[in-house]
Amino acid sequence: MNNLKYSHTILINLLIVSIIPFLIWGPFFPDLIVSVSALFFLYYILKNNNFYYLNNIPFIIFLFFCIISTICSLEAEDISLSIKSSLFYFRIGVFSCCIWYLIDKDKNILNYFYYTLILCFSVLVIDGYFQYFTGSNLLGFKIIGARVSSFFGDELIMGSYLSRLFPLLFALFLVKQKKKFEIYFIGFLFILVDILIFMSGERSAFFFLNLSTVFIIILIKKYQKFRLVTFIIAIICIIILSLNSSNLSNRMFKGPAIDMGLIESSKAPTIFSPIHDSHYRTAYEMIKDKPLLGHGPKMFRVMCKDEKYAVGVSPCSTHPHNFYVQLLAETGIIGFLFLFSAFIYVIYTAFRQFKSIIFKEKRPLTDYQVCLLSGILISFWPFSPNGNFFNNWLMIVYSLPVGFYLQSIYSKKSRK
């Protein structure tokens, strides 16, 4: 009987871990895995009357946000469109708690995630560099401009995938028993991944890589010099690459400076770009109209067509390209406070860690937790363009470090 239960645990672990390569494939299978995992976990909770994993402040706050989002959907202009994204959104939080539970049950899942991440990152590195130097990847996907996308094709989100999962890989690297050759391999992989994220041409992804790396280097103790050296080598290579690729340097540096009116005085200053600026101003008009509960999830794409909201050169899109602006417009101040409170928690916790380093006190966070917190930081960072907050693929990527972090701060030595 125990062997049967153990085999079930192995199968569930493999199912959860398979989400890492499936995220490269597209959103369908990752979302299916999240839904199945959430159902399994809820069944376990109800069957065993064990609500420990859901009885914590982060999940309760997230559940409250889901309820508010659903209420907002019921008041939306297009209820059917809005309710699809909010009604079952709670599964994302349940999935994070499921990861926490599985780590408690079997620590081997940490190794499964670690080696799966290494494999996926290594494959993307090989394929990405092959695409950059030959013009096509191993499956024949053409490079788009100077932007490397590897197996993601015309989705152009390879950099997002690598930059957002990188902190999780580093966290798992820190807690694993390592041989010397493995340390050298990981160091080389880190350098190649840093450069590849730049080669993807995704400005936000490159910024998040830098943000999480600086955060980690400042706040960890062990392997601090290791990450600093690999990062410096990568930056030197990126500078050389920029000097030899006008397309990449224009996209990553000169283009944004021009768009924001920083280097061409004839242009009026804008927030990130004229298009982004137009989205934010349109969202602002929507916020003024319904400040408390907003217009409903996924309603920016509908309401931006209304002349009383539309502002600027390109007011309409599927979302306003900033999580905080989107939540203010679609779920109002109440929904916005959920995300903002999470950001404040990250900043406060990081400050406590930094303070303990300065005054040589006991550190509140382990290096493992610092890396996981850096992954959460780039999820909640407010001062950059973002994707759609209700996008399944993006939220699944964001939910992964949260599950590991919850387990690290709430876990008990024994629990049935």
Side-chain angles (χ1 to χ4, degrees):
M1 186 69 177
N2 288 333
N3 289 335
L4 183 62
K5 288 183 178 179
Y6 182 73
S7 65
H8 283 175
T9 302
I10 291 291
L11 289 173
I12 293 166
N13 287 347
L14 292 175
L15 175 67
I16 297 291
V17 172
S18 70
I19 206 166
I20 299 296
F22 276 129
L23 282 166
I24 299 174
W25 196 331
F28 175 78
F29 284 108
D31 194 35
L32 180 62
I33 293 169
V34 167
S35 299
V36 170
S37 303
L39 286 173
F40 150 77
F41 189 55
L42 291 175
Y43 170 76
Y44 160 81
I45 287 172
L46 294 172
K47 182 182 178 181
N48 295 279
N49 196 29
N50 181 0
F51 291 90
Y52 173 81
Y53 292 95
L54 301 184
N55 188 22
N56 58 82
I57 293 174
F59 182 78
I60 292 171
I61 293 174
F62 178 76
L63 188 61
F64 177 72
F65 168 77
C66 294
I67 294 170
I68 292 298
S69 297
T70 303
I71 293 172
C72 293
S73 292
L74 295 175
E75 298 292 326
E77 183 80 14
D78 188 337
I79 296 176
S80 62
L81 174 63
S82 186
I83 202 74
K84 288 177 183 177
S85 61
S86 61
L87 186 59
F88 297 106
Y89 197 70
F90 68 91
R91 74 192 188 284
I92 300 296
V94 175
F95 176 67
S96 291
C97 294
C98 180
I99 291 176
W100 166 13
Y101 161 75
L102 290 174
I103 297 172
D104 274 349
K105 296 293 286 184
D106 183 8
K107 291 294 190 297
N108 286 323
I109 195 173
L110 297 177
N111 287 329
Y112 301 157
F113 266 107
Y114 175 68
Y115 287 115
T116 302
L117 281 165
I118 286 179
L119 177 62
C120 290
F121 274 49
S122 299
V123 169
L124 287 173
V125 162
I126 293 169
D127 188 71
Y129 280 87
F130 183 83
Q131 186 182 49
Y132 180 78
F133 288 111
T134 68
S136 299
N137 82 329
L138 296 173
L139 295 182
F141 296 150
K142 301 290 185 182
I143 192 171
I144 300 176
R147 300 182 62 181
V148 175
S149 61
S150 186
F151 297 111
F152 291 91
D154 57 5
E155 285 293 315
L156 296 174
I157 56 172
M158 181 195 65
S160 180
Y161 175 92
L162 292 171
S163 64
R164 296 178 195 283
L165 292 179
F166 183 88
L168 177 57
L169 173 59
F170 197 9
L172 295 172
F173 166 76
L174 290 176
V175 297
K176 187 187 177 298
Q177 294 292 329
K178 299 169 286 293
K179 295 181 179 179
K180 196 170 184 179
F181 80 88
E182 188 175 351
I183 296 174
Y184 288 131
F185 172 78
I186 292 298
F188 186 56
L189 181 65
F190 282 4
I191 294 169
L192 293 178
V193 168
D194 291 346
I195 300 169
L196 187 60
I197 291 171
F198 178 80
M199 288 162 58
S200 74
E202 295 178 58
R203 294 185 287 257
S204 293
F206 185 61
F207 170 76
F208 289 143
L209 169 72
N210 285 272
L211 177 63
S212 63
T213 298
V214 171
F215 184 91
I216 289 170
I217 290 173
I218 291 174
L219 298 182
I220 65 172
K221 186 175 183 180
K222 196 175 182 181
Y223 287 99
Q224 185 181 50
K225 292 180 181 178
F226 169 82
R227 182 55 186 136
L228 179 60
V229 169
T230 57
F231 187 60
I232 290 174
I233 293 172
I235 292 298
I236 292 171
C237 293
I238 286 169
I239 292 171
I240 295 172
L241 184 64
S242 299
L243 294 174
N244 289 277
S245 175
S246 57
N247 287 335
L248 271 176
S249 60
N250 286 339
R251 173 164 180 80
M252 300 298 284
F253 304 120
K254 187 176 179 180
I258 292 174
D259 287 340
M260 290 186 285
L262 299 178
I263 60 175
E264 284 191 8
S265 57
S266 59
K267 281 193 173 186
T270 62
I271 304 174
F272 301 124
S273 73
I275 294 176
H276 286 97
D277 191 82
S278 182
H279 293 340
Y280 299 155
R281 294 180 187 277
T282 299
Y284 176 67
E285 296 301 319
M286 293 169 59
I287 295 165
K288 288 196 299 183
D289 195 26
K290 289 189 176 182
L292 193 60
L293 290 174
H295 296 264
K298 284 197 172 182
M299 282 297 100
F300 181 84
R301 69 190 67 192
V302 175
M303 306 308 296
C304 66
K305 299 173 184 176
D306 192 323
E307 290 184 0
K308 71 176 180 178
Y309 301 129
V311 178
V313 296
S314 180
C316 261
S317 179
T318 54
H319 55 90
H321 293 89
N322 181 278
F323 285 165
Y324 291 85
V325 174
Q326 180 181 2
L327 289 183
L328 280 169
E330 296 185 345
T331 62
I333 294 172
I334 295 178
F336 160 84
L337 287 175
F338 154 73
L339 193 63
F340 186 68
S341 63
F343 175 68
I344 293 299
Y345 167 80
V346 173
I347 296 300
Y348 171 72
T349 307
F351 176 77
R352 287 181 58 218
Q353 181 80 353
F354 184 71
K355 177 175 172 287
S356 70
I357 295 171
I358 295 297
F359 293 100
K360 298 182 179 180
E361 301 169 347
K362 183 180 179 180
R363 301 188 183 204
L365 298 176
T366 65
D367 289 352
Y368 171 75
Q369 290 171 327
V370 168
C371 291
L372 295 174
L373 198 66
S374 75
I376 297 172
L377 171 67
I378 61 177
S379 301
F380 297 147
W381 185 256
F383 309 112
S384 65
N386 303 113
N388 182 357
F389 188 80
F390 295 97
N391 176 277
N392 291 336
W393 187 93
L394 205 53
M395 285 302 105
I396 292 168
V397 173
Y398 286 164
S399 68
L400 286 168
V402 173
F404 287 83
Y405 185 74
L406 289 175
Q407 190 277 332
S408 73
I409 62 175
Y410 283 112
S411 178
K412 293 181 179 180
K413 290 185 178 179
S414 61
R415 188 185 303 111
K416 293 184 179 179

